[in-house]
Amino acid sequence: MLSAFTACAVLLAGAAHAADTTATPAHSRFNPLQTFAPFAYQYPVNRYRSASGVPGPDYWQNRADYAISATLDPAKKELSASEVITYTNHSPDTLHMLWLQLDQNRYRTDARGNFSGDKEPDAASHTDGYRLKAVEVAQGKTFKPVHYQISDTRMRIDLPQALKPKDGQLRLRIVYSYTVPGRFGGRTDWYATKNGDVYEIAQWFPRMAVYDDLRGWDTLPYLNNEFYLEYGDIDYRVTVPANMIVAGSGELVNPDQVLSKTQRERLAKARGSEATVMIRTPAEVEAAARGPQPKGTKTWHFRMHDTRDVAFGASAAYVWDAARIDLPSGKHAMAMSVYPVESLSGKGHWQDSTQFVKHTIEYFSKRWLEYPWPNAIAEAGKVGGMEYPGIAFDWWQTGGKPLFGLTTHEVGHFWFPMIVGFDERRAAWMDEGFNTYVDMRAALDYQGGKYAPKCDAEYAPGCTNPVEEIQSVLHDADAPPILTKPDMIREKYRHPVTYFKSALGLNLLREEILGPERFDVAFRRFVHAWAFKHPTPSDFFRAMDSAGGEDLSWFWNGWYKHNWSLDMAVTGVSYVDGKPSHGAKVTVANLDRLVMPATLRVNYVDGTHADVRIPTATWQQHHSFDVLVAGDKAVKSATIDPDHVIPDGNRANDTFTLH
């Protein structure tokens, strides 16, 4: 925390004043009229979205409830299923068509996503996508086929009867199958271990596209960025060979039918245990793999309320452990991990995973919003790190700080965007940046900062000062602004901009611009207001302005809309009336297009110093400013941002030495 929020700030001698400071210093790119121009919000205020950044009095949201019965065939590497979607139209509009997302079509050889990334995957890695056997709408007591059209990863269904506005409802049935992708799975795949194959199953059922107040049907195709989904309840059954364990989003409804008596007893013990309890041990996994295999299948039944998606892992090779999560309200949930025995050797240290999950859920519940679901699961696989409501797929051969960072990041996504339902295909910086920021704070909280500071591919990868590391982005003419459409951000810039710069922006807001008390109240209010809803960047910007008590247009413009740089300088130091006893006059200047509040430190010859806070309002009318600092001692030097906490790109002019 800078001195503006501590007692170390000193009063100015009267009001700081400017001499003739309207002239632009040499080599300056700063233009106050540009920097402080009004911020152009993308979406207007209306009855649906208020000026304070929270849902308006007429906010509405459609709903999609799912009932799914699926079968996983390991021999064919195929998943087949039938789903019934109950879709409720809460909008004021009559709907003549429906749009659905068919994300498995991303793995076809002709998928648009093959052409939008850095390179096209080889043909052998693809599948043929969804194979649709039936698409039907309920008419009376029966389902009847309807006309549909598929375009890449989207499907349009033409309704025989229009769906009425304001609570009109219909049921849609789809019967389908697809081949589970392998090494090109990206976010969903299967891989082999010595005790059996592991399946990470996601984007596995046709899902409703969002119809909202912003653009009607949101039909962006699935290229390489993530998801925007409606909320509802999902009831799903997964039939697998009898030797397999299924770990899925939500609550296991039928444990008596799929778990052994010993496993049920161990789970009961884990529900009362802060320490990790083994539900299925490595020895039991290996013994089962060597022994005779049970015949037949088991059907695992899960249910999840108020969710936008579900995913699951399935394998005969799973080790399984669990522990109790303590929530602020006094309620409890369960932290769980499933992983192959290989995850306990080499660099693998997955025996720590459940405690990492437990800490993350408890910390975020206390700090932002209580976790709403009964389980939180980490599943080990070859998906490097991917999140779905209540379950995260994490790299299977890691441990220690890397596994802690991976866990907090993927489990942190349970809040952003699984609870706060951001549109990841249009604003990936929100879910990734928000989550990277809260992960950074979670690392500070775990066992006294054992794994802090956060520094990895997502944030400050050089493990040095983040505001210095971000300079490579701020000074890169090709680096896209944060608000760039995600599908246009090249892989080179995805982590530096969408994760790192976005998260650092939140940290600057909290630590340097608003201060913790104002930031935390505003940020928490935003999270609570938009839980299980669809906020936009405009809603967030307005919420922070309104509840934070600050017009932050200059920050939204400079840090988010543009990729502007900061260059503050101390250009001169003298004594008032030429006498040290009358105080010092320090000239500070802003030389680039970004502005930030900053601390000016005057260092005295006797080894003491005085700090003065320079607010951003200084630069609304000035390019340089004479700051009068009270004192009666000889000055040695003056430095702007002495602790290097703001992203000043030119440290060479930060200090002016007098003696």
Side-chain angles (χ1 to χ4, degrees), residues 486-517:
D487 288 327
M488 297 177 64
I489 297 178
R490 292 162 52 198
E491 182 63 25
K492 172 183 177 181
Y493 296 111
R494 188 170 63 89
H495 279 112
V497 173
T498 305
Y499 294 66
F500 181 15
K501 188 184 178 188
S502 176
L504 181 57
L506 294 179
N507 198 52
L508 290 170
L509 268 178
R510 185 180 194 269
E511 304 301 328
E512 313 306 327
I513 299 172
L514 294 177
E517 291 184 357

Side-chain angles (χ1 to χ4, degrees), residues 51-117:
S52 63
V54 300
D58 293 337
Y59 178 83
W60 56 266
Q61 191 169 297
N62 288 353
R63 180 181 178 91
D65 299 304
Y66 300 81
I68 312 170
S69 294
T71 298
L72 178 63
D73 186 338
K76 295 181 179 179
K77 301 294 185 288
E78 181 183 80
L79 185 139
S80 57
S82 174
E83 69 172 349
V84 174
I85 306 172
T86 302
Y87 185 68
T88 306
N89 178 24
H90 293 305
S91 83
D93 305 326
T94 298
L95 301 182
H96 297 274
M97 64 182 68
L98 304 177
W99 281 92
L100 282 82
Q101 302 184 40
L102 303 183
D103 289 343
Q104 286 299 318
N105 286 357
R106 169 65 184 85
Y107 305 114
R108 291 172 53 93
T109 56
D110 59 353
R112 292 186 188 183
N114 289 338
F115 304 92
S116 65

